[in-house]
Amino acid sequence: MVVQNGYGGASISSIARRAGVAEGYLYRFYASKQELVTELLYTKVAKLIEKLEFLLNSCTRIKEVINELIGELFKMASDSPEEIKFIHVLMHDYNFQVSEEQRLQIKSLCERVIRIGIENGEVSRNISPEEAYGIVVIYPIEFINLRMKGFFGITTWTTEDQNRVAEFSINAIK
C-alpha cells in the first residue's frame, strides 16, 4: 500500500483490508501507521545488514562481497519487487529513518568493508563510509528503481546489467 499509494495514501484500514485482517488487530500490535511502517522498514534493513555481515564473514575479497550483495538486491527485486520498492520509497521519505542501532551497524559494516578493502588493495584510502554506502547500496537500488519505473524505456534487467552495476560500484570505491 505504501509503495502503490505513498505513505499518506496508505491508511491503517486499507492496509488491514489488504492483509485480510481487522483494523483493530493491527492496532493491537502497532499504536499507529507510522509505527507499523517503521517496523517493516527496520525488518527489511535488518535483512540487508545480516546479509552484509554474512558476506564479510564468509568472503575474502571485497569484490566478492559487493558482487554478492548487489546480486542479493537484484534477486530481491526479481523475487519480491514490492520489497525493494518499499525500501526505495522509505529511503526517500524524510519521515522515516533506520533505527540508531541500524545506522551504527551500517556505518560499522561500511568501515569494515573499507578496512578489509584497503588491506587487500581493493579500496581507496580516501573513501568514507558514507560514500561506500552510497555507491554499494544506494546506487544499485536506484538503478533497479529506474528500471522498474521504465525511466529510460527499459523495464527489465539482465545478468549483464547486474554485473555492470557491481563493476561500477567496485571501480568507484577503488
Side-chain angles (χ1 to χ4, degrees):
M1 297 300 299
V2 171
V3 169
Q4 291 173 350
N5 305 319
Y7 177 73
S11 65
I12 281 283
S13 60
S14 64
I15 293 169
R17 213 173 17 260
R18 181 94 179 256
V21 298
E23 188 175 331
Y25 180 79
L26 289 179
Y27 280 117
R28 286 178 56 204
F29 299 98
Y30 304 101
S32 66
K33 176 177 70 170
Q34 172 103 17
E35 188 178 305
L36 168 65
V37 173
T38 298
E39 181 64 30
L40 288 170
L41 176 64
Y42 289 178
T43 301
K44 306 293 181 209
V45 171
K47 281 176 54 178
L48 291 174
I49 289 170
E50 185 179 303
K51 181 66 174 183
L52 183 53
E53 284 177 332
F54 171 79
L55 291 170
L56 284 169
N57 290 330
S58 60
C59 300
T60 57
R61 307 289 300 174
I62 292 304
K63 181 177 182 173
E64 185 182 1
V65 170
I66 293 171
N67 277 322
E68 291 292 326
L69 182 63
I70 290 174
E72 186 67 26
L73 293 171
F74 275 86
K75 183 177 181 336
M76 181 189 302
S78 293
D79 295 349
S80 181
E82 295 300 314
E83 193 170 348
I84 198 89
K85 288 177 186 178
F86 179 80
I87 292 169
H88 183 268
V89 166
L90 293 186
M91 278 178 12
H92 294 83
D93 188 325
Y94 284 95
N95 294 309
F96 294 94
Q97 294 186 28
V98 298
S99 71
E100 180 67 11
E101 179 185 344
Q102 287 178 324
R103 187 188 65 74
L104 292 172
Q105 283 179 298
I106 291 167
K107 182 180 180 194
S108 175
L109 289 168
C110 288
E111 289 169 344
R112 193 167 157 204
V113 164
I114 293 166
R115 186 175 56 255
I116 293 167
I118 289 171
E119 290 170 6
N120 291 341
E122 297 177 276
V123 174
S124 167
R125 292 185 179 279
N126 298 325
I127 196 94
S128 70
E130 186 176 49
E131 291 166 327
Y133 180 72
I135 292 165
V136 174
V137 178
I138 302 302
Y139 165 66
I141 291 173
E142 286 297 332
F143 178 91
I144 291 166
N145 179 62
L146 288 171
R147 285 292 175 93
M148 289 178 138
K149 290 171 73 173
F151 190 82
F152 290 104
I154 305 168
T155 58
T156 60
W157 53 82
T158 64
T159 303
E160 182 182 325
D161 294 321
Q162 177 183 321
N163 292 339
R164 272 198 329 277
V165 168
E167 194 63 34
F168 175 86
S169 296
I170 291 162
N171 289 334
I173 64 172
K174 282 185 180 178

